[in-house]
Amino acid sequence: MSKMAVFIEMKAGKLKQASLEVVQVLSMQGEVHAIGLGAGFEAFAATLSDYGAKGIHQIEGPELEHYTAENFTAALVPFLKTLQPDWMAGAHTSMGADLLPHLAAHLDWGYCADVTTFEAGPQPTFRRPQYSGKATAQVTFSGPMVVSFRPNSLGLKPPTKATPVLVTKHAATQGAGKVKFVQLIEGQSTRPDVTEANVVISGGRSMKSAENFKILEELADVVGAAVGASRAAVDAGLRPHRDQVGQTGKVVAPSLYVACGISGAIQHLAGMRTSKTIVAINTNPDEPIFQVADIGVVGDLFQIIPLLTTELKKLK
Ligand SMILES: Cc1cc2nc3c(=O)[nH]c(=O)nc-3n(C[C@H](O)[C@H](O)[C@H](O)COP(=O)(O)OP(=O)(O)OC[C@H]3O[C@@H](n4cnc5c(N)ncnc54)[C@H](O)[C@@H]3O)c2cc1C
């Protein structure tokens, strides 16, 4: 039975689903201690208990109101040295991918990034894609380690009602570091982020104009999806970079990924090939995207997408 600490992310007063996935999966391995930084974390005690947390800790301090890797690490390191977990984990979100290796370096622990499969047991085993998904590394470890899990790859099951665990509050002891929070500039989009959505509908260069992405947005609205893009579409100015999926964009693992007019270059596949079901719509049946697709539709996306939207609206 392991004792594990899990870093929990909050955004706009909500818990990140990716953090809950980590808590739930690791609760099969042993005693999970959920750690939240900043005020307001205690509001999630019941939810975290239902997902399997056995300890809930809130670290408070004025410097923790806004995220910086330096201040969060400074608050976590002394706390973890006292808690003494066997290992530490979190979600491989933008924040997790920034914070967790920083933390591992300061603790002098190992770091295993972007894990997609976990096997509980006396010797926990982690698998992570490498070389743009062409190989998979199997990782085990003996000493303490920090592990980040790719959002959506573990899967979230319905929670089980549990008696809420009492929240333990701790004051941050290190104070503010040299890095200063200045301003948060939020994106305008009201859609889910591509890394968190259960369904992602992406368009490529073939969308031709930013205006044409409206047909993907209409379909996305019907199914509650995020809209992603290939780098060619982003480079052409059709979508902002935050929507880019791939090696130099975001890595996604939704239940359903729909690639519309995307050829399937290796750098794009690196960002989406661990999606559970992949649908490709493309006029050219010889494109590599069809090699990873579960369902391939050969045809013009400008005809297929509006038809699909109309039919799905009828089903609703
Ligand atoms: C270092 C490096 C990093 C990179 N990082 C990324 C990355 O993070 N993400 C990424 O996506 N790419 C990345 N790339 C670029 C990548 O190599 C490809 O150039 C890019 O993915 C191609 O985008 P695309 O599929 O939209 O365009 P194209 O390759 O031009 O494909 C367009 C596709 O649309 C189809 N099509 C045309 N008209 C229609 C229609 N009406 N209906 C249906 N289908 C149609 C065509 O058959 C074709 O398959 C990177 C490249 C490098 C070198």
Side-chain angles (χ1 to χ4, degrees):
M1 172 115 159
S2 315
K3 179 177 177 182
M4 294 149 293
V6 175
F7 169 69
I8 306 290
E9 259 183 73
M10 298 178 276
K11 194 181 174 195
K14 283 190 182 158
L15 282 185
K16 284 246 173 151
Q17 180 180 306
S19 298
L20 291 177
E21 268 184 81
V22 179
V23 170
Q24 189 176 55
V25 165
L26 296 196
S27 65
M28 295 185 304
Q29 173 69 27
E31 188 180 294
V32 172
H33 289 257
I35 309 167
L37 276 70
F41 185 60
E42 67 265 45
F44 307 115
T47 308
L48 287 162
S49 309
D50 291 349
Y51 279 93
K54 293 285 178 261
I56 302 178
H57 308 269
Q58 173 169 315
I59 309 180
E60 297 172 330
E63 68 280 12
L64 303 177
E65 194 186 334
H66 296 287
Y67 169 74
T68 69
E70 190 190 18
N71 287 347
F72 273 37
T73 299
L76 283 164
V77 167
F79 172 74
L80 288 167
K81 284 186 175 162
T82 312
L83 184 70
Q84 294 196 315
D86 297 312
W87 47 283
M88 156 99 199
H92 196 83
T93 54
S94 305
M95 191 192 286
D98 185 47
L99 173 70
L100 297 171
H102 201 89
L103 187 62
H106 281 260
L107 288 162
D108 204 15
W109 290 6
Y111 180 54
C112 181
D114 203 17
V115 168
T116 52
T117 317
F118 168 68
E119 267 170 40
Q123 176 66 77
T125 306
F126 306 87
R127 290 197 186 82
R128 56 183 299 270
Q130 287 194 310
Y131 310 121
S132 300
K134 285 195 162 175
T136 303
Q138 181 168 308
V139 181
T140 56
F141 55 88
S142 48
M145 179 103 152
V146 179
V147 182
S148 66
F149 289 91
R150 182 177 294 183
N152 282 334
S153 59
L154 302 173
L156 194 64
K157 296 185 193 73
T160 314
K161 202 86 206 116
T163 312
V165 176
L166 280 182
V167 181
T168 320
K169 292 191 180 180
H170 312 264
T173 51
Q174 300 282 305
K178 288 183 191 146
V179 177
K180 246 175 128 182
F181 170 85
V182 179
Q183 189 190 0
L184 174 67
I185 302 169
E186 292 236 58
Q188 298 300 309
S189 176
T190 52
R191 284 170 203 290
D193 187 77
V194 285
T195 56
E196 286 164 30
N198 205 28
V199 180
V200 176
I201 299 169
S202 289
R205 193 198 310 268
S206 54
M207 296 305 298
K208 296 196 187 106
S209 72
E211 181 72 9
N212 283 344
F213 263 87
K214 279 219 169 93
I215 62 168
L216 300 192
E217 287 174 352
E218 280 167 20
L219 176 58
D221 286 341
V222 179
V223 293
V227 175
S230 70
R231 175 161 164 181
V234 171
D235 286 351
L238 313 188
R239 298 298 287 185
H241 182 262
R242 66 167 181 270
D243 293 346
Q244 184 179 316
V245 172
Q247 187 181 310
T248 44
K250 290 178 176 167
V251 177
V252 302
S255 298
L256 175 64
Y257 187 86
V258 187
C260 307
I262 292 178
S263 55
I266 186 72
Q267 297 89 357
H268 187 79
L269 301 186
M272 43 64 77
R273 72 189 311 160
T274 53
S275 304
K276 317 262 174 330
T277 302
I278 297 171
V279 175
I281 303 171
N282 200 301
T283 44
N284 182 353
D286 296 325
E287 291 291 38
I289 192 71
F290 287 118
Q291 285 165 21
V292 296
D294 300 285
I295 299 170
V297 183
V298 179
D300 183 347
L301 73 93
F302 292 103
Q303 290 174 0
I304 294 163
I305 297 292
L307 269 177
L308 200 56
T309 308
T310 309
E311 291 305 313
L312 285 171
K313 272 185 184 162
K314 281 186 204 162
L315 287 177
K316 287 206 142 188

